[in-house]
Amino acid sequence: MPVTANYTKFYKQIGYTFKEPKLLKRALTHRSAAREHNERLEYLGDAVLGMLIAKTLYHRFPTQPEGKLTRMRASLVKGETLAALGKEMGIGELLNLGPGEMKSGGHRRGSILADAVEAIIGAIYLEAGIDTCEKLVTEWFSTRIEKLDPNAHPKDHKTRLQEFLQGRKQPLPNYEISDISGKSHDQTFTVTCSVTLLNDTVTGTGNSRRRAEQDAAKQALEQLSNVR
């Protein structure tokens, strides 16, 4: 299918039509595919998104303290949420990826989808300004904002795993870095997690040690759900 046809469908999906399609193309281009990629737009979009979500929450929850506003904002701008939004938008099929990323399923990878969402926000900001960005971001996140509970205390995977084991009087998990690959500015960390209730260690990956540990804890929790 021609790229322009895909873009036409995408424009309807996001509620915005780019006057300069080349800007959208750059926002959808991963570093593995071309020298002109989306990292600078991602940087800009990240800042714009954080500010707009903060403003929305500030007005929507006028009596909530800073801590709860920060927690709610984090739940909306985190990678998992952005990846889910990118998937809903159909970004994966439009991504411009290098051969390696294409073979490894990069069009489905959460981090790449999340980065592309931020890059698109950055591109819209450059082309149309902050007011248009605010209108679109509010629409894109409306359902998730409606579901927010200021009193909810979301727990990360490591915390949930720790509480799971403590509740069963088991030793805490042990995390160890098993590998660090890639260049200094684009590293991938591999972490193993040992849990006494599991026969084998589980492995997690991420672009930081913290994210790799969270991924390993998530894998451990999934396996423990099958342990009687």
Side-chain angles (χ1 to χ4, degrees), residues 4-227:
T4 52
N6 272 334
Y7 281 0
T8 300
K9 178 181 176 182
F10 183 66
Y11 291 155
K12 292 180 181 179
Q13 184 71 25
I14 66 174
Y16 179 79
T17 298
F18 275 86
K19 298 178 181 63
E20 183 48 73
K22 288 183 179 179
L23 191 58
L24 174 59
K25 182 178 180 181
R26 192 193 316 163
L28 294 167
T29 299
H30 187 258
R31 69 155 80 211
S32 64
R35 296 181 66 179
E36 285 196 13
H37 48 73
N38 64 6
E39 286 189 351
R40 283 172 55 83
L41 288 173
E42 174 202 339
Y43 161 80
L44 181 60
D46 174 65
V48 172
L49 175 63
M51 185 275 291
L52 292 177
I53 291 295
K55 178 183 177 182
T56 298
L57 297 179
Y58 179 87
H59 290 294
R60 185 174 181 81
F61 300 97
T63 64
Q64 296 301 326
E66 180 270 344
K68 291 185 178 180
L69 293 174
T70 298
R71 187 160 58 239
M72 288 189 288
R73 180 182 61 185
S75 73
L76 292 174
V77 303
K78 67 181 181 180
E80 290 179 11
T81 302
L82 295 180
L85 184 62
K87 185 176 181 181
E88 293 165 10
M89 291 176 169
I91 286 177
E93 64 189 50
L94 300 176
L95 289 171
N96 183 19
L97 304 171
E101 288 293 348
M102 289 182 65
K103 289 180 180 178
S104 63
H107 61 286
R108 295 188 299 270
R109 186 167 302 130
S111 60
I112 293 179
L113 290 171
D115 291 346
V117 170
E118 291 179 333
I120 289 168
I121 293 172
I124 293 173
Y125 171 75
L126 287 179
E127 183 172 276
I130 195 67
D131 290 340
T132 298
C133 272
E134 183 170 8
K135 176 178 177 293
L136 293 170
V137 166
T138 300
E139 290 175 355
W140 297 350
F141 285 85
S142 60
T143 301
R144 291 174 170 86
I145 292 173
E146 287 289 337
K147 294 179 180 179
L148 287 174
D149 179 2
N151 297 312
H153 292 272
K155 297 175 181 177
D156 60 34
H157 299 302
K158 287 183 67 176
T159 300
R160 289 173 53 215
L161 177 58
Q162 179 174 317
E163 292 182 352
F164 179 94
L165 295 172
Q166 287 176 327
R168 290 159 178 75
K169 301 183 186 298
Q170 296 293 320
L172 295 181
N174 181 55
Y175 300 93
E176 292 185 2
I177 296 178
S178 60
D179 183 59
I180 302 176
S181 60
K183 299 179 180 179
S184 59
H185 65 281
D186 186 28
Q187 292 183 322
T188 297
F189 290 75
T190 302
V191 167
T192 58
C193 174
S194 302
V195 178
T196 55
L197 294 178
L198 298 175
N199 294 326
D200 301 314
T201 60
V202 292
T203 302
T205 59
N207 58 9
S208 69
R209 175 173 182 166
R210 179 180 62 82
R211 291 186 177 180
E213 289 179 347
Q214 290 289 349
D215 185 47
K218 178 183 179 181
Q219 308 302 326
L221 283 166
E222 291 176 353
Q223 291 191 29
L224 287 169
S225 66
N226 298 318
V227 175

